[in-house]
Amino acid sequence: MTLLHHLDQGQGRPLVILHGLFGTLDNWHSLARRWATEAGLRVISVDLRNHGRSFHSPEHSYALMAQDVLQLFDHLGLGPETTLMGHSMGGKVAMRLALDHPERLAQLIVVDIAPRFSNMEHQDDIVAGLQAVDLAALATRQEADAALARHIPQLGVRQFLLKNLYRAEDNSFAWRINLPALTASLPAIGEETAGSTPFLKRTLFIRGGKSDYITPEDKLVGIPALFPNSQVATVVDAGHWVHAEKPDEVFELVRNFVG
């Protein structure tokens, strides 16, 4: 059994955090530490397969990612008092696990993603930028940023992606993400989340006011159909990376919900 790489800190009721596509547990580092120290929670931040320091696999699906997380639950002895939270792709992993294994969770938090299908075209520029970085010829991080910039004008997005760049033991540059597997799996990552029975426990959806990942129709139809005991909280002036843009607001929303 190959376990997901994770960081376990704090004591109290467990909160498990799953990052989004091309992310790592480091994206949640500051908030995770705050929930552990200020909110009295046991916080487990996770690197999903093909991301961060977790294992690489040619297979990348929500069924497999949810199974990976369940294995980690078993390894850590996490009981039904656990809250599971996921952002974007990680939110779809969290929804999949909640729908398939509701008995394993106390409640669910989903950050800026809806259960509906996404065509993933919005990732085309990011994939093109990542593929434009010639790792073999790369001498500096600045060169990598310049290659990304030809496809990705937003500095914040490039900085987020460059967190995946590291120096291997031979001092060459490499990606922590499994770029070929993730690129091949983009259609699967956009898949709709469905369930034969709804998840009846408390669920909080956190959406960015400037983001279109959760639409009015999602709030009225798609989300309540699967998560009837849910509420949608909007963080004003935040985009898709709500937790990076408005950490204080996200901290309070989660602390009060898990409360």
Side-chain angles (χ1 to χ4, degrees):
M1 181 179 81
T2 314
L3 266 189
L4 296 173
H5 175 254
H6 59 282
L7 176 65
D8 189 346
Q9 55 189 329
Q11 291 173 323
R13 274 180 296 174
L15 169 67
V16 177
I17 305 176
L18 310 178
H19 61 77
L21 180 63
F22 304 130
T24 76
L25 65 79
D26 292 342
N27 303 143
W28 288 87
H29 180 71
S30 301
L31 274 170
R33 194 174 57 220
R34 286 186 66 188
W35 284 314
T37 56
E38 297 173 40
L41 298 173
R42 177 186 177 189
V43 184
I44 298 115
S45 320
V46 179
D47 278 337
L48 293 166
R49 66 166 56 202
N50 293 319
H51 290 78
R53 290 173 170 80
S54 280
F55 60 88
H56 285 192
S57 165
E59 298 179 296
H60 195 86
S61 70
Y62 287 114
L64 288 169
M65 286 188 279
Q67 202 57 45
D68 294 340
V69 175
L70 268 183
Q71 284 184 344
L72 185 63
F73 272 46
D74 291 341
H75 174 76
L76 296 173
L78 297 178
E81 74 284 3
T82 302
T83 301
L84 180 60
M85 175 168 72
H87 171 245
S88 203
M89 179 189 75
K92 282 196 164 179
V93 177
M95 287 189 272
R96 173 81 277 136
L97 193 153
L99 289 163
D100 291 347
H101 300 278
E103 75 286 350
R104 300 299 298 263
L105 301 179
Q107 53 214 351
L108 175 68
I109 303 172
V110 179
V111 184
D112 212 59
I113 194 76
R116 73 179 146 80
F117 166 79
S118 164
N119 64 18
M120 301 304 284
E121 282 174 4
H122 55 284
Q123 300 291 345
D124 289 352
D125 290 342
I126 287 179
V127 169
L130 290 167
Q131 290 177 335
V133 178
D134 183 357
L135 293 172
L138 202 60
T140 66
R141 299 182 76 85
Q142 288 73 20
E143 290 176 8
D145 183 58
L148 286 174
R150 291 199 286 274
H151 300 271
I152 305 162
Q154 308 94 327
L155 175 63
V157 176
R158 298 201 306 273
Q159 289 173 331
F160 164 77
L161 293 169
L162 286 169
K163 286 184 189 293
N164 290 294
L165 191 66
Y166 76 106
R167 283 196 184 270
E169 284 181 11
D170 64 0
N171 216 32
S172 65
F173 279 104
W175 293 120
R176 291 208 185 277
I177 44 172
N178 183 352
L179 187 57
L182 294 176
T183 304
S185 303
L186 278 179
I189 294 169
E191 278 176 5
E192 178 185 3
T193 304
S196 51
T197 52
F199 179 73
L200 301 176
K201 295 178 181 177
R202 294 172 69 233
T203 305
L204 172 65
F205 283 80
I206 300 174
R207 67 178 284 271
K210 294 180 180 172
S211 170
D212 58 4
Y213 278 67
I214 295 179
T215 64
E217 189 181 354
D218 294 325
K219 286 172 68 173
L220 288 170
V221 183
I223 289 171
L226 286 175
F227 304 95
N229 190 11
S230 64
Q231 60 190 95
V232 180
T234 298
V235 178
V236 189
D237 287 335
H240 182 54
W241 281 282
V242 199
H243 50 295
E245 294 172 41
K246 297 283 180 179
D248 291 342
E249 287 86 339
V250 172
F251 173 79
E252 288 297 342
L253 280 168
V254 172
R255 177 164 71 173
N256 293 337
F257 182 74
V258 177

